[in-house]
Amino acid sequence: MWMSLLGVGVVSGLGYWLMRQRGSAGRNITFAPSSRPSREPTARAVTGPSPRRNVLVGTDGDVKGKTFHIGMRTVTIGRSSSNFVQTLDEKASRTHCQLKPSLEGLFVRDMNSRNGVEVNGSQIAGEELLEDGDEVRVGTACFRYHRRLTVARDASMERKNVSSVASRTTQKGSLDDLAKLLDATLRDCDGDVERAAEELGCDVATVEALLRTRGVTSSKTEMAATRDESGP
């Protein structure tokens, strides 16, 4: 009889186990998120200096190896320490040329210098738009123009040369350069003093004062006559 009872117990146990398996077959098994950190690499932002707009790189003369960031500023090149870009070359005028940025690029303008400005080996007449890679020469100082370039060190922010030698060599030519610049600007503006002052970056009173020291009035008629006598 005990054998019968043992058989009934085995069968009952087997039946109960089968019912448990059927009941758990339709359940979704979920796992708790692991607290261990992920081994997958995460993306990191790469930072560094970004390219600057309108940059001159010195390739010859006393500016060789120097980099000048012009940006969107209107600046000048010359011997005087007041210039944004200074060169002490003897063939350079006190204020030799002007650099004026625009949406198209960078314009270079000869400020009636004694020896002129060369772009890619040819002397310019008045103003010319620089293209990326163009070469600009002021005396023996030579620059290569880049529309965009990463700048590690801006030489325009360095201390300018204001030695007595530099002062003596530029003092005499400064008044002549200023007079030429004033005359050329007024001719371009048809004698309009207000426009000339805007071009030169100063007020009207300053231009009129400079004209009075030279015995010239600010009338358009007299400026037109001066233009005809001096030629184009």
Side-chain angles (χ1 to χ4, degrees):
M1 182 173 179
W2 62 270
M3 291 294 294
S4 299
L5 293 175
L6 179 61
V8 172
V10 171
V11 172
S12 298
L14 182 61
Y16 180 77
W17 180 82
L18 289 174
M19 291 178 63
R20 292 275 296 178
Q21 292 296 316
R22 290 177 181 178
S24 61
R27 297 178 184 176
N28 294 325
I29 301 175
T30 59
F31 298 92
S34 174
S35 59
R36 298 176 62 183
S38 174
R39 294 181 179 274
E40 296 183 2
T42 56
R44 294 183 179 180
V46 179
T47 59
S50 58
R52 303 294 183 88
R53 180 180 295 182
N54 297 326
V55 177
L56 293 181
V57 178
T59 58
D60 200 3
D62 63 343
V63 297
K64 186 175 182 179
K66 296 182 179 181
T67 303
F68 303 88
H69 174 220
I70 308 302
M72 297 305 291
R73 294 166 286 198
T74 298
V75 302
T76 55
I77 300 176
R79 293 178 62 90
S80 171
S81 59
S82 60
N83 291 286
F84 188 78
V85 179
Q86 184 185 32
T87 172
L88 298 179
D89 186 83
E90 294 181 356
K91 294 183 178 180
S93 298
R94 182 177 176 85
T95 303
H96 199 100
C97 63
Q98 181 190 73
L99 301 171
K100 187 175 183 179
S102 70
L103 295 178
E104 293 82 9
L106 189 67
F107 282 94
V108 57
R109 180 181 183 182
D110 184 9
M111 304 298 272
N112 291 289
S113 60
R114 292 188 296 274
N115 296 301
V117 179
E118 292 184 3
V119 174
N120 297 327
S122 300
Q123 195 167 78
I124 66 173
E127 189 176 69
E128 185 165 327
L129 178 63
L130 298 177
E131 296 183 1
D132 190 64
D134 279 352
E135 184 180 82
V136 181
R137 184 173 292 276
V138 176
T140 61
C142 189
F143 308 85
R144 188 168 299 280
Y145 168 65
H146 298 272
R147 292 199 68 172
R148 287 191 177 275
L149 186 70
T150 300
V151 179
R153 183 175 181 180
D154 188 0
S156 62
M157 306 304 293
E158 297 176 0
R159 185 176 180 179
K160 302 295 193 302
N161 189 311
V162 291
S163 65
S164 58
V165 175
S167 299
R168 286 197 301 270
T169 56
T170 57
Q171 186 175 14
K172 182 180 184 299
S174 61
L175 294 178
D176 294 337
D177 291 341
L178 180 59
K180 290 178 181 179
L181 172 60
L182 181 59
D183 289 344
T185 306
L186 284 169
R187 284 198 301 270
D188 292 343
C189 296
D190 293 325
D192 190 324
V193 175
E194 292 185 358
R195 285 177 54 198
E198 183 178 352
E199 286 289 328
L200 293 170
C202 61
D203 54 47
V204 176
T206 300
V207 174
E208 291 180 339
L210 291 171
L211 290 173
R212 284 196 297 270
T213 61
R214 303 180 60 225
V216 180
T217 65
S218 60
S219 66
K220 293 185 179 181
T221 303
E222 184 167 342
M223 287 310 304
T226 303
R227 178 182 57 189
D228 294 338
E229 292 175 0
S230 59

Short mmCIF file of all heavy atoms in Angstrom, two decimals, residues 73-76 95 97-102 107-112 126-128 178 180-207 210:
data_model
loop_
_atom_site.label_atom_id
_atom_site.label_comp_id
_atom_site.label_asym_id
_atom_site.label_seq_id
_atom_site.Cartn_x
_atom_site.Cartn_y
_atom_site.Cartn_z
N ARG A 73 38.69 95.62 -39.28
CA ARG A 73 39.13 96.97 -38.97
C ARG A 73 39.78 97.61 -40.18
O ARG A 73 40.43 96.94 -40.99
CB ARG A 73 40.15 96.93 -37.83
CG ARG A 73 39.58 96.48 -36.51
CD ARG A 73 40.67 96.12 -35.51
NE ARG A 73 41.31 94.85 -35.85
CZ ARG A 73 42.02 94.14 -35.01
NH1 ARG A 73 42.24 94.58 -33.79
NH2 ARG A 73 42.55 92.98 -35.37
N THR A 74 39.62 98.93 -40.32
CA THR A 74 40.33 99.69 -41.34
C THR A 74 41.64 100.16 -40.72
O THR A 74 41.63 100.90 -39.72
CB THR A 74 39.51 100.89 -41.82
OG1 THR A 74 38.30 100.42 -42.42
CG2 THR A 74 40.28 101.71 -42.84
N VAL A 75 42.78 99.74 -41.29
CA VAL A 75 44.08 99.99 -40.67
C VAL A 75 45.06 100.50 -41.72
O VAL A 75 44.75 100.55 -42.92
CB VAL A 75 44.64 98.71 -40.01
CG1 VAL A 75 43.67 98.18 -38.95
CG2 VAL A 75 44.90 97.63 -41.06
N THR A 76 46.25 100.86 -41.27
CA THR A 76 47.28 101.36 -42.17
C THR A 76 48.60 100.63 -41.94
O THR A 76 48.83 100.05 -40.88
CB THR A 76 47.51 102.87 -41.97
OG1 THR A 76 47.81 103.13 -40.59
CG2 THR A 76 46.29 103.67 -42.39
N THR A 95 52.92 106.89 -43.50
CA THR A 95 51.66 106.17 -43.66
C THR A 95 51.61 105.75 -45.11
O THR A 95 51.28 106.54 -45.99
CB THR A 95 50.44 107.04 -43.29
OG1 THR A 95 50.58 107.52 -41.95
CG2 THR A 95 49.15 106.24 -43.40
N CYS A 97 50.12 102.80 -46.84
CA CYS A 97 48.88 102.33 -47.48
C CYS A 97 47.82 102.02 -46.44
O CYS A 97 48.11 101.92 -45.25
CB CYS A 97 49.15 101.10 -48.36
SG CYS A 97 49.72 99.64 -47.43
N GLN A 98 46.61 101.89 -46.93
CA GLN A 98 45.46 101.61 -46.05
C GLN A 98 44.85 100.27 -46.43
O GLN A 98 44.78 99.91 -47.61
CB GLN A 98 44.40 102.71 -46.20
CG GLN A 98 43.18 102.53 -45.32
CD GLN A 98 42.07 103.51 -45.67
OE1 GLN A 98 41.41 103.39 -46.69
NE2 GLN A 98 41.88 104.51 -44.81
N LEU A 99 44.41 99.52 -45.44
CA LEU A 99 43.71 98.25 -45.65
C LEU A 99 42.28 98.41 -45.14
O LEU A 99 42.07 98.75 -43.98
CB LEU A 99 44.42 97.12 -44.90
CG LEU A 99 45.88 96.87 -45.28
CD1 LEU A 99 46.50 95.87 -44.32
CD2 LEU A 99 45.99 96.37 -46.71
N LYS A 100 41.33 98.17 -46.04
CA LYS A 100 39.93 98.38 -45.68
C LYS A 100 39.13 97.12 -46.00
O LYS A 100 39.01 96.73 -47.16
CB LYS A 100 39.37 99.57 -46.47
CG LYS A 100 37.96 99.98 -46.05
CD LYS A 100 37.54 101.23 -46.80
CE LYS A 100 36.16 101.70 -46.35
NZ LYS A 100 35.75 102.93 -47.08
N PRO A 101 38.57 96.46 -44.98
CA PRO A 101 37.81 95.22 -45.20
C PRO A 101 36.43 95.49 -45.80
O PRO A 101 35.87 96.59 -45.64
CB PRO A 101 37.69 94.62 -43.79
CG PRO A 101 37.76 95.81 -42.88
CD PRO A 101 38.67 96.80 -43.55
N SER A 102 35.92 94.52 -46.51
CA SER A 102 34.58 94.58 -47.07
C SER A 102 34.04 93.16 -47.14
O SER A 102 34.72 92.20 -46.80
CB SER A 102 34.60 95.21 -48.46
OG SER A 102 35.22 94.34 -49.39
N PHE A 107 40.49 95.48 -49.22
CA PHE A 107 40.98 96.46 -50.18
C PHE A 107 42.29 97.06 -49.67
O PHE A 107 42.41 97.37 -48.48
CB PHE A 107 39.96 97.58 -50.40
CG PHE A 107 38.81 97.21 -51.29
CD1 PHE A 107 37.62 96.74 -50.75
CD2 PHE A 107 38.91 97.31 -52.67
CE1 PHE A 107 36.55 96.39 -51.57
CE2 PHE A 107 37.86 96.97 -53.49
CZ PHE A 107 36.68 96.51 -52.94
N VAL A 108 43.25 97.23 -50.56
CA VAL A 108 44.48 97.94 -50.23
C VAL A 108 44.50 99.23 -51.05
O VAL A 108 44.23 99.21 -52.26
CB VAL A 108 45.74 97.08 -50.51
CG1 VAL A 108 45.79 96.61 -51.96
CG2 VAL A 108 47.00 97.86 -50.14
N ARG A 109 44.84 100.32 -50.38
CA ARG A 109 44.83 101.63 -51.03
C ARG A 109 46.15 102.34 -50.79
O ARG A 109 46.59 102.48 -49.64
CB ARG A 109 43.68 102.48 -50.48
CG ARG A 109 43.60 103.88 -51.10
CD ARG A 109 42.47 104.66 -50.49
NE ARG A 109 42.33 105.97 -51.10
CZ ARG A 109 41.44 106.89 -50.73
NH1 ARG A 109 40.61 106.61 -49.74
NH2 ARG A 109 41.39 108.05 -51.32
N ASP A 110 46.78 102.77 -51.87
CA ASP A 110 48.02 103.52 -51.77
C ASP A 110 47.71 104.92 -51.25
O ASP A 110 46.89 105.64 -51.81
CB ASP A 110 48.69 103.60 -53.15
CG ASP A 110 50.04 104.30 -53.11
OD1 ASP A 110 50.53 104.56 -52.00
OD2 ASP A 110 50.59 104.58 -54.19
N MET A 111 48.37 105.32 -50.16
CA MET A 111 48.12 106.63 -49.55
C MET A 111 49.14 107.65 -50.10
O MET A 111 49.77 108.37 -49.34
CB MET A 111 48.22 106.53 -48.02
CG MET A 111 47.29 105.49 -47.42
SD MET A 111 45.55 105.81 -47.71
CE MET A 111 45.18 106.85 -46.31
N ASN A 112 49.27 107.67 -51.43
CA ASN A 112 50.20 108.58 -52.08
C ASN A 112 51.61 108.43 -51.52
O ASN A 112 52.30 109.41 -51.22
CB ASN A 112 49.73 110.03 -51.95
CG ASN A 112 48.48 110.31 -52.76
OD1 ASN A 112 48.52 110.34 -53.99
ND2 ASN A 112 47.37 110.47 -52.07
N GLY A 126 45.80 103.66 -57.05
CA GLY A 126 44.65 103.90 -56.18
C GLY A 126 44.36 102.73 -55.27
O GLY A 126 45.12 102.43 -54.37
N GLU A 127 43.24 102.02 -55.54
CA GLU A 127 42.76 100.97 -54.64
C GLU A 127 42.57 99.67 -55.40
O GLU A 127 42.19 99.67 -56.58
CB GLU A 127 41.43 101.42 -54.03
CG GLU A 127 40.90 100.56 -52.92
CD GLU A 127 39.64 101.15 -52.32
OE1 GLU A 127 38.61 101.16 -53.02
OE2 GLU A 127 39.68 101.61 -51.17
N GLU A 128 42.84 98.56 -54.73
CA GLU A 128 42.67 97.25 -55.37
C GLU A 128 42.20 96.23 -54.34
O GLU A 128 42.63 96.25 -53.19
CB GLU A 128 43.99 96.80 -56.00
CG GLU A 128 43.88 95.51 -56.80
CD GLU A 128 45.09 95.28 -57.69
OE1 GLU A 128 45.67 96.27 -58.18
OE2 GLU A 128 45.43 94.10 -57.89
N LEU A 178 51.01 113.63 -45.16
CA LEU A 178 49.71 114.09 -44.71
C LEU A 178 49.07 115.01 -45.73
O LEU A 178 47.87 114.91 -46.03
CB LEU A 178 49.84 114.79 -43.36
CG LEU A 178 48.54 115.32 -42.74
CD1 LEU A 178 47.55 114.17 -42.54
CD2 LEU A 178 48.83 116.03 -41.43
N LYS A 180 49.69 115.11 -48.98
CA LYS A 180 49.32 114.32 -50.14
C LYS A 180 48.05 113.52 -49.88
O LYS A 180 47.17 113.41 -50.74
CB LYS A 180 50.46 113.37 -50.51
CG LYS A 180 51.70 114.06 -51.08
CD LYS A 180 52.78 113.04 -51.37
CE LYS A 180 54.04 113.71 -51.92
NZ LYS A 180 55.12 112.73 -52.19
N LEU A 181 47.96 112.95 -48.69
CA LEU A 181 46.78 112.17 -48.34
C LEU A 181 45.53 113.04 -48.34
O LEU A 181 44.48 112.65 -48.86
CB LEU A 181 46.98 111.53 -46.96
CG LEU A 181 45.77 110.83 -46.34
CD1 LEU A 181 45.31 109.69 -47.24
CD2 LEU A 181 46.11 110.31 -44.96
N LEU A 182 45.66 114.24 -47.77
CA LEU A 182 44.53 115.15 -47.70
C LEU A 182 44.09 115.59 -49.09
O LEU A 182 42.90 115.59 -49.42
CB LEU A 182 44.89 116.37 -46.85
CG LEU A 182 43.80 117.43 -46.66
CD1 LEU A 182 42.57 116.82 -46.01
CD2 LEU A 182 44.33 118.58 -45.81
N ASP A 183 45.06 115.95 -49.93
CA ASP A 183 44.74 116.38 -51.30
C ASP A 183 44.07 115.26 -52.09
O ASP A 183 43.07 115.47 -52.78
CB ASP A 183 46.01 116.82 -52.02
CG ASP A 183 46.56 118.14 -51.49
OD1 ASP A 183 45.80 118.84 -50.78
OD2 ASP A 183 47.73 118.46 -51.77
N ALA A 184 44.63 114.05 -51.98
CA ALA A 184 44.09 112.93 -52.74
C ALA A 184 42.67 112.59 -52.29
O ALA A 184 41.79 112.32 -53.11
CB ALA A 184 44.98 111.71 -52.57
N THR A 185 42.43 112.64 -50.98
CA THR A 185 41.10 112.33 -50.47
C THR A 185 40.08 113.35 -50.90
O THR A 185 38.96 113.00 -51.29
CB THR A 185 41.13 112.22 -48.93
OG1 THR A 185 42.14 111.29 -48.52
CG2 THR A 185 39.80 111.77 -48.38
N LEU A 186 40.46 114.62 -50.85
CA LEU A 186 39.54 115.68 -51.27
C LEU A 186 39.26 115.60 -52.77
O LEU A 186 38.13 115.85 -53.21
CB LEU A 186 40.12 117.05 -50.91
CG LEU A 186 40.01 117.44 -49.43
CD1 LEU A 186 40.85 118.67 -49.13
CD2 LEU A 186 38.55 117.69 -49.04
N ARG A 187 40.26 115.24 -53.56
CA ARG A 187 40.03 115.09 -55.00
C ARG A 187 39.04 113.95 -55.26
O ARG A 187 38.13 114.08 -56.08
CB ARG A 187 41.34 114.83 -55.73
CG ARG A 187 42.21 116.07 -55.91
CD ARG A 187 43.26 115.84 -56.99
NE ARG A 187 44.14 114.71 -56.68
CZ ARG A 187 45.27 114.83 -56.00
NH1 ARG A 187 45.66 116.02 -55.54
NH2 ARG A 187 46.02 113.77 -55.76
N ASP A 188 39.24 112.85 -54.55
CA ASP A 188 38.34 111.71 -54.72
C ASP A 188 36.91 112.04 -54.31
O ASP A 188 35.95 111.47 -54.84
CB ASP A 188 38.83 110.51 -53.90
CG ASP A 188 40.14 109.93 -54.43
OD1 ASP A 188 40.47 110.24 -55.59
OD2 ASP A 188 40.81 109.20 -53.68
N CYS A 189 36.78 112.96 -53.35
CA CYS A 189 35.45 113.34 -52.83
C CYS A 189 34.93 114.61 -53.50
O CYS A 189 33.95 115.21 -53.01
CB CYS A 189 35.51 113.54 -51.31
SG CYS A 189 35.93 112.04 -50.40
N ASP A 190 35.57 115.05 -54.60
CA ASP A 190 35.16 116.25 -55.32
C ASP A 190 35.10 117.47 -54.42
O ASP A 190 34.21 118.33 -54.55
CB ASP A 190 33.80 116.05 -56.00
CG ASP A 190 33.87 115.01 -57.11
OD1 ASP A 190 34.92 114.95 -57.78
OD2 ASP A 190 32.89 114.26 -57.29
N GLY A 191 36.04 117.57 -53.49
CA GLY A 191 36.11 118.73 -52.61
C GLY A 191 35.14 118.72 -51.46
O GLY A 191 35.06 119.70 -50.70
N ASP A 192 34.39 117.65 -51.30
CA ASP A 192 33.42 117.56 -50.20
C ASP A 192 34.18 117.25 -48.90
O ASP A 192 34.66 116.13 -48.71
CB ASP A 192 32.40 116.46 -50.50
CG ASP A 192 31.22 116.48 -49.52
OD1 ASP A 192 31.44 116.79 -48.34
OD2 ASP A 192 30.10 116.18 -49.95
N VAL A 193 34.26 118.24 -48.01
CA VAL A 193 35.04 118.10 -46.79
C VAL A 193 34.44 117.05 -45.86
O VAL A 193 35.16 116.30 -45.21
CB VAL A 193 35.14 119.47 -46.07
CG1 VAL A 193 35.84 119.31 -44.73
CG2 VAL A 193 35.90 120.46 -46.93
N GLU A 194 33.12 117.01 -45.79
CA GLU A 194 32.48 116.03 -44.90
C GLU A 194 32.79 114.61 -45.34
O GLU A 194 33.11 113.74 -44.52
CB GLU A 194 30.96 116.26 -44.88
CG GLU A 194 30.55 117.57 -44.20
CD GLU A 194 29.04 117.69 -44.09
OE1 GLU A 194 28.34 116.78 -44.58
OE2 GLU A 194 28.57 118.68 -43.53
N ARG A 195 32.71 114.35 -46.63
CA ARG A 195 33.04 113.02 -47.14
C ARG A 195 34.51 112.70 -46.93
O ARG A 195 34.88 111.57 -46.59
CB ARG A 195 32.69 112.92 -48.63
CG ARG A 195 31.21 112.79 -48.93
CD ARG A 195 30.98 112.77 -50.42
NE ARG A 195 31.77 111.73 -51.07
CZ ARG A 195 32.03 111.71 -52.38
NH1 ARG A 195 31.58 112.68 -53.16
NH2 ARG A 195 32.74 110.72 -52.89
N ALA A 196 35.37 113.70 -47.15
CA ALA A 196 36.80 113.49 -46.96
C ALA A 196 37.11 113.17 -45.50
O ALA A 196 37.94 112.29 -45.21
CB ALA A 196 37.57 114.73 -47.40
N ALA A 197 36.46 113.88 -44.59
CA ALA A 197 36.68 113.63 -43.17
C ALA A 197 36.26 112.21 -42.80
O ALA A 197 36.93 111.53 -42.02
CB ALA A 197 35.91 114.65 -42.33
N GLU A 198 35.15 111.76 -43.39
CA GLU A 198 34.67 110.40 -43.12
C GLU A 198 35.66 109.37 -43.65
O GLU A 198 35.94 108.37 -42.99
CB GLU A 198 33.30 110.20 -43.77
CG GLU A 198 32.68 108.84 -43.48
CD GLU A 198 31.30 108.69 -44.09
OE1 GLU A 198 30.78 109.70 -44.61
OE2 GLU A 198 30.76 107.58 -44.06
N GLU A 199 36.22 109.63 -44.85
CA GLU A 199 37.20 108.72 -45.43
C GLU A 199 38.47 108.66 -44.59
O GLU A 199 39.08 107.61 -44.43
CB GLU A 199 37.55 109.16 -46.85
CG GLU A 199 36.48 108.88 -47.88
CD GLU A 199 36.36 107.39 -48.19
OE1 GLU A 199 37.39 106.70 -48.13
OE2 GLU A 199 35.24 106.94 -48.47
N LEU A 200 38.88 109.82 -44.05
CA LEU A 200 40.11 109.89 -43.26
C LEU A 200 39.91 109.43 -41.82
O LEU A 200 40.89 109.25 -41.09
CB LEU A 200 40.66 111.32 -43.28
CG LEU A 200 41.16 111.83 -44.64
CD1 LEU A 200 41.45 113.32 -44.57
CD2 LEU A 200 42.41 111.07 -45.06
N GLY A 201 38.66 109.30 -41.42
CA GLY A 201 38.38 108.86 -40.06
C GLY A 201 38.56 109.96 -39.02
O GLY A 201 38.95 109.68 -37.87
N CYS A 202 38.30 111.21 -39.41
CA CYS A 202 38.41 112.32 -38.46
C CYS A 202 37.20 113.24 -38.63
O CYS A 202 36.34 113.01 -39.50
CB CYS A 202 39.72 113.09 -38.67
SG CYS A 202 39.88 113.82 -40.31
N ASP A 203 37.14 114.32 -37.81
CA ASP A 203 36.00 115.22 -37.92
C ASP A 203 36.27 116.31 -38.95
O ASP A 203 37.41 116.54 -39.38
CB ASP A 203 35.65 115.83 -36.55
CG ASP A 203 36.85 116.50 -35.90
OD1 ASP A 203 37.55 117.26 -36.58
OD2 ASP A 203 37.07 116.26 -34.70
N VAL A 204 35.21 117.02 -39.34
CA VAL A 204 35.30 118.06 -40.36
C VAL A 204 36.19 119.20 -39.90
O VAL A 204 36.96 119.77 -40.69
CB VAL A 204 33.88 118.59 -40.70
CG1 VAL A 204 33.96 119.75 -41.69
CG2 VAL A 204 33.02 117.46 -41.26
N ALA A 205 36.12 119.55 -38.61
CA ALA A 205 36.91 120.66 -38.09
C ALA A 205 38.41 120.41 -38.27
O ALA A 205 39.18 121.32 -38.57
CB ALA A 205 36.58 120.90 -36.62
N THR A 206 38.82 119.16 -38.11
CA THR A 206 40.24 118.82 -38.26
C THR A 206 40.68 119.01 -39.71
O THR A 206 41.76 119.56 -39.98
CB THR A 206 40.49 117.37 -37.83
OG1 THR A 206 40.12 117.21 -36.46
CG2 THR A 206 41.95 116.99 -38.00
N VAL A 207 39.85 118.57 -40.66
CA VAL A 207 40.19 118.73 -42.07
C VAL A 207 40.26 120.20 -42.45
O VAL A 207 41.19 120.64 -43.13
CB VAL A 207 39.17 118.00 -42.96
CG1 VAL A 207 39.42 118.28 -44.44
CG2 VAL A 207 39.20 116.51 -42.70
N LEU A 210 43.44 121.76 -41.15
CA LEU A 210 44.59 121.40 -41.97
C LEU A 210 44.61 122.19 -43.27
O LEU A 210 45.67 122.60 -43.75
CB LEU A 210 44.56 119.89 -42.27
CG LEU A 210 44.81 118.96 -41.09
CD1 LEU A 210 44.54 117.51 -41.48
CD2 LEU A 210 46.25 119.10 -40.60
#
